[in-house]
Amino acid sequence: GSDPAAGATGVDTTGAVTLRYDQALYPGDLGGITLTSKEGTPVTGLNPSLSGSSLSITHPPLAPATTYTLALPEGAVRNAGLVAAAPLELSFTTTLGTPAVTGTTPAQEATGASTIAPIAIDFSHAVSLTDTAAYRLTGPGGADVPLTGVATDSTLSLSHEGLSAGAAYQLSLTAGSLVNAAGYVNTAYALSFTTHLAAPQVMGTTPEEDATGIAPGAPIDVRWSQPVEITDSLGIGLYYEGNSA
């Protein structure tokens, strides 16, 4: 027999693979034992050991939701009479594991984030909200922003009624708010971002609107509500009596 069994699903990503034989085992070509993912990626760091009639193979943590095949070459182990055991292959699939955050919109520590778009958190696989789901968004002065959460496939979308421009926000997602098909829940997660600035507003000009008696050659100043840069100098024009200067 074996643990996990051949074809098993939901196998823990840590631990060991154990094979049980009908007689005491002695080492043969233990170095020829391999563990390979379905995609062909070998697992390094295998550590086979013998105890009576059992062969135990410990391994580093495996990838979640991945099929692996353990292969023993002929003669990997032998009996007391030095008769080699037949080759063996055993395949199993690991559990989904804990849902892991793979990305967010806006990105972590982003600036220039939208003030109207929902906040999205992407996970490594499909999730759904639990009855105890809890998330919180705070903005300027620590004020709470009401959120509505919807989990679709592998994305948690958090909508709101609009954020302040040029403001810093912090989102916290409580552990256990989301669960996957295997019953694993998320760990706590925090996201920080800053929204984009509001459109610059003209605060004043020199000369003032409709001013008269301005000296020829006097500079024209336009004061804005925030620092600005010229992006299209060709779009700036000076006109007089219907003509451009």
Side-chain angles (χ1 to χ4, degrees):
S2 66
D3 184 16
T9 58
V11 176
D12 192 1
T13 57
T14 60
V17 179
T18 301
L19 303 175
R20 294 179 292 275
Y21 289 80
D22 60 354
Q23 51 192 290
L25 299 175
Y26 295 85
D29 183 18
L30 294 177
I33 298 173
T34 61
L35 182 62
T36 309
S37 71
K38 184 178 180 179
E39 292 73 24
T41 303
V43 177
T44 59
L46 300 182
N47 184 24
S49 60
L50 299 175
S51 178
S53 59
S54 295
L55 167 63
S56 181
I57 304 158
T58 59
H59 53 74
L62 304 178
T66 302
T67 298
Y68 289 89
T69 298
L70 176 73
L72 274 69
E74 183 175 5
V77 292
R78 303 174 182 273
N79 64 11
L82 300 183
V83 177
L88 177 145
E89 284 195 353
L90 170 71
S91 295
F92 58 90
T93 302
T94 54
T95 183
L96 286 172
T98 300
V101 174
T102 59
T104 62
T105 304
Q108 185 71 264
E109 302 297 342
T111 57
S114 172
T115 58
I116 59 175
I119 300 167
I121 304 177
D122 298 320
F123 289 87
S124 51
H125 45 262
V127 291
S128 58
L129 287 167
T130 65
D131 293 336
T132 58
Y135 34 78
R136 183 186 183 194
L137 180 65
T138 56
D144 283 294
V145 178
L147 295 173
T148 300
V150 176
T152 304
D153 295 327
S154 59
T155 300
L156 171 63
S157 180
L158 300 169
S159 58
H160 49 77
E161 295 185 355
L163 307 178
S164 298
Y169 286 87
Q170 294 78 40
L171 173 71
S172 59
L173 178 65
T174 302
S177 294
L178 297 138
V179 63
N180 62 24
Y184 288 84
V185 297
N186 69 292
T187 56
Y189 184 77
L191 171 68
S192 297
F193 61 91
T194 302
T195 54
H196 63 72
L197 293 172
Q201 304 293 318
V202 174
M203 304 301 291
T205 63
T206 302
E208 296 180 351
E209 179 78 14
D210 294 326
T212 59
I214 306 305
I220 300 172
D221 294 326
V222 180
R223 296 180 296 280
W224 299 90
S225 58
Q226 56 189 270
V228 294
E229 296 178 357
I230 296 176
T231 58
D232 180 12
S233 60
L234 296 179
I236 302 174
L238 180 62
Y239 298 85
Y240 67 99
E241 295 182 357
N243 297 308
S244 60

